[in-house]
Amino acid sequence: MSKKDNQQTNTSWGGRFSEQTDAFVEAFTASVSFDQRMYRQDIAGSRAHANMLNKVGVLNDDDLSAILQGLDTIEKEIEAGKFDWSIAREDVHMNIEARLTEMIGDAGKRLHTGRSRNDQVATDIRLYLREHIVLVISELKRLQQGLLLLAEKEADTIMPGFTHLQVAQPVTFGHHMLAWFEMLQRDASRFADCSTRMNVCPLGAAALAGTSYPIDREFTAKALGFSAPAANSLDAVSDRDFAIEFCAAAALLMTHLSRMSEELVIWSSAQFSFINLPDRFCTGSSIMPQKKNPDVPELVRGKTGRVTGNLVSLLTLMKSQPLAYNKDNQEDKEPLFDTLDTVLGSLRAFADMVPAIECQHANMYAAAKQGFSTATDLADYLVRKGLPFRDAHEVVGKAVAMALEKNVDLSGLSLAELQSFSKLIEAEVTEVLTLEGSVASRNHVGGTAPEQVRKAVITAKEKL
Ligand code: ARG
């Protein structure tokens, strides 16, 4: 087919082509189906670029106002669902530019002066991600607030603390919630950090080497709320490390949420019955009428896999790419967007659910009494009385063996029985053998004592 015959050849780059793009290749290489969600950022970038071109005298006032009006109209068309997205126009950038030219003629063709889709897309993704990181952090904070509410409410609630999923020492439920809070606090700071680092403006890098027009990169950077223009044009258009960094922070966050999920699933099982998840966060079984399944935590736990997968996709995508832009990078968007959607959805579900968790206090308390959770307290008591810790460990081990034989917990042994292992044991030992005594004694910064939990909640609220 001659070039003249071919009406379909892409008008943005079709000049040097003598035959039409293969129909399958056209669809295969198009990204418009998934990059159209960056239309607002693309339009914002175009506005800033056009204003800058006008300021430096490359675009006259009439062209600028036609472009700005045209972009406004396009934005409204898209928002009203009236924009005709076309695969033949490949991506969000060319769809918008072609529509602009359709509407305003030659002025529309002047918009791309001193610009390339390479710096355009690198700018759009940064703008998009920056905006969405704000949402991620705000949902994270909402979840953290829920955790603090619960921690405050359950500061005195005693439950078993576990190591190896075996009862280890008594802790307070509030303390456990504060552990989750801390994990999320680090996640939030990773997102904030990532947002700051990526907030530089690629515009002006053009295809890879910059442009011969007298552009003002400070102007566009400022207009779009970036802290500065990206320092190197080759780097600006090619690296997607900022998206990788976001996905890494997201994978860690999801890993944390999956750990919390696992605990919620275990705690809400009939065997544990530590908590009750309200019905609205659970579903039933189509065959077993008695079932109430903890779907929300299970699903969040499951979704961790795709987010970690997205991180690996992006790392592998970037690996070995020579400078500067390569079409490979078009593959950055789906994993990134999927990560954003998944993280926002998971956080929303968790933030709604967490404040509604109900503790089954008696069950937690009974479980903490099992498994000799105050054995360490007895050893510490003996150390305070002058026995070296290793000897105390031995004494308590023997007491545990006797209690096991008699099928009681340590506080179920009589004073005389305890004294048969060490004469240092006296009547007041009962205080350290109770769960309340045990948690109250861990009264230092970062400890599980109810008093410390209340203090930590206050400090945490200040941090938020
Ligand atoms: N759709 C492309 C992407 O997502 C835009 C940049 C295309 N640049 C190019 N030289 N083909 O990366």
Side-chain angles (χ1 to χ4, degrees):
M1 193 188 289
S2 83
K3 198 175 129 193
K4 201 160 105 275
D5 295 337
N6 178 12
Q7 300 301 313
Q8 293 301 307
T9 295
N10 192 304
T11 49
S12 301
W13 44 250
R16 62 102 73 211
F17 284 74
S18 60
E19 64 171 1
Q20 192 181 346
T21 314
D22 178 270
F24 174 72
V25 170
E26 183 176 87
F28 185 70
T29 54
S31 56
V32 65
S33 63
F34 51 84
D35 65 14
Q36 56 178 269
R37 65 151 97 183
M38 303 192 298
Y39 75 89
R40 270 196 304 110
Q41 292 72 22
D42 196 70
I43 289 172
S46 289
R47 284 190 186 115
H49 181 66
N51 278 316
M52 182 278 290
L53 289 180
N54 175 256
K55 184 197 164 234
V56 300
V58 173
L59 192 70
N60 71 36
D61 292 352
D62 289 347
D63 284 347
L64 174 66
S65 85
I67 287 171
L68 294 179
Q69 273 174 32
L71 290 172
D72 285 351
T73 309
I74 290 172
E75 194 164 31
K76 287 190 190 112
E77 284 177 354
I78 297 172
E79 258 144 32
K82 287 188 185 133
F83 190 88
D84 194 10
W85 295 104
S86 143
I87 283 185
R89 289 172 178 177
E90 202 176 316
D91 54 26
V92 61
H93 326 292
M94 293 204 293
N95 266 268
I96 290 175
E97 192 193 314
R99 174 74 186 124
L100 185 68
T101 301
E102 219 169 71
M103 282 166 49
I104 66 171
D106 281 356
K109 296 186 194 162
R110 294 203 175 95
L111 172 61
H112 213 52
T113 312
R115 180 175 84 168
S116 155
R117 279 184 295 152
N118 296 353
D119 58 347
Q120 202 178 348
V121 70
T123 304
D124 291 4
I125 309 171
R126 282 172 156 89
L127 289 174
Y128 189 90
L129 189 52
R130 191 180 73 189
E131 211 176 297
H132 284 78
I133 288 181
V134 174
L135 301 181
V136 169
I137 293 177
S138 117
E139 280 300 82
L140 248 175
K141 295 214 178 301
R142 194 161 73 84
L143 169 54
Q144 287 183 291
Q145 266 150 9
L147 289 172
L148 293 184
L149 272 180
L150 203 53
E152 205 166 19
K153 186 168 146 213
E154 308 289 352
D156 296 288
T157 302
I158 291 175
M159 68 180 284
F162 298 91
T163 59
H164 314 269
L165 202 57
Q166 312 283 322
V167 172
Q169 292 172 351
V171 295
T172 50
F173 188 78
H175 192 55
H176 200 114
M177 293 302 102
L178 289 174
W180 290 4
F181 176 93
E182 288 301 321
M183 289 146 75
L184 298 178
Q185 187 67 8
R186 291 190 296 277
D187 289 320
S189 84
R190 270 186 282 271
F191 285 120
D193 199 32
C194 157
S195 181
T196 309
R197 198 172 3 261
M198 73 169 193
N199 197 31
V200 291
C201 187
L203 283 184
L208 74 163
T211 172
S212 56
Y213 295 97
I215 55 168
D216 182 346
R217 297 194 62 211
E218 301 284 347
F219 179 95
T220 32
K222 199 163 168 232
L224 293 167
F226 286 110
S227 59
N232 179 286
S233 67
L234 295 168
D235 175 48
V237 292
S238 68
D239 208 343
R240 296 292 182 264
D241 60 348
F242 62 92
I244 296 174
E245 214 178 317
F246 171 78
C247 287
L252 261 174
L253 164 65
M254 290 302 293
T255 299
H256 286 156
L257 292 182
S258 84
R259 295 182 64 198
M260 299 173 195
S261 295
E262 176 77 0
E263 294 190 316
L264 293 176
V265 170
I266 292 173
W267 293 345
S268 62
S269 69
Q271 290 71 21
F272 270 73
S273 292
F274 280 9
I275 58 161
N276 190 26
L277 288 178
D279 287 0
R280 63 184 185 281
F281 299 104
C282 301
T283 63
S285 156
S286 56
I287 180 169
M288 297 169 283
Q290 84 283 12
K291 291 286 293 251
K292 174 175 154 185
N293 299 324
D295 286 47
V296 168
E298 286 176 277
L299 206 49
V300 169
R301 189 177 57 187
K303 283 178 187 292
T304 307
R306 64 198 284 166
V307 173
T308 303
N310 289 338
L311 169 62
V312 175
S313 292
L314 287 188
L315 282 167
T316 313
L317 169 70
M318 204 68 240
K319 180 190 172 293
S320 313
Q321 273 196 53
L323 287 172
Y325 176 86
N326 302 281
K327 184 78 167 179
D328 311 40
N329 280 343
Q330 182 163 291
E331 286 288 306
D332 62 358
K333 287 162 210 65
E334 288 159 294
L336 179 62
F337 296 156
D338 182 65
T339 300
L340 268 170
D341 294 344
T342 307
V343 161
L344 280 170
S346 303
L347 282 173
R348 179 182 170 169
F350 249 75
D352 289 347
M353 179 180 65
V354 154
I357 292 172
E358 292 158 13
C359 289
Q360 315 243 57
H361 300 95
N363 297 340
M364 286 187 184
Y365 193 86
K369 284 199 95 166
Q370 291 165 3
F372 308 102
S373 66
T374 54
T376 317
D377 296 275
L378 180 56
D380 291 343
Y381 166 88
L382 289 167
V383 168
R384 282 197 296 276
K385 297 241 164 180
L387 205 61
F389 182 78
R390 282 294 155 219
D391 295 340
H393 191 286
E394 171 89 16
V395 167
V396 179
K398 286 184 178 146
V400 165
M402 176 187 268
L404 266 174
E405 211 167 277
K406 304 185 70 176
N407 202 20
V408 293
D409 81 340
L410 282 177
S411 63
L413 296 177
S414 71
L415 184 59
E417 281 166 335
L418 287 168
Q419 282 170 337
S420 72
F421 302 110
S422 169
K423 293 282 168 258
L424 293 170
I425 299 177
E426 292 173 278
E428 83 285 351
V429 74
T430 47
E431 274 163 45
V432 308
L433 293 183
T434 65
L435 299 178
E436 288 78 1
S438 170
V439 294
S441 70
R442 287 161 167 74
N443 197 7
H444 52 75
V445 173
T448 195
E451 192 185 325
Q452 288 299 328
V453 170
R454 290 196 184 88
K455 279 188 188 160
V457 167
I458 294 168
T459 317
K461 278 184 182 162
E462 281 160 11
K463 276 193 223 164
L464 271 189

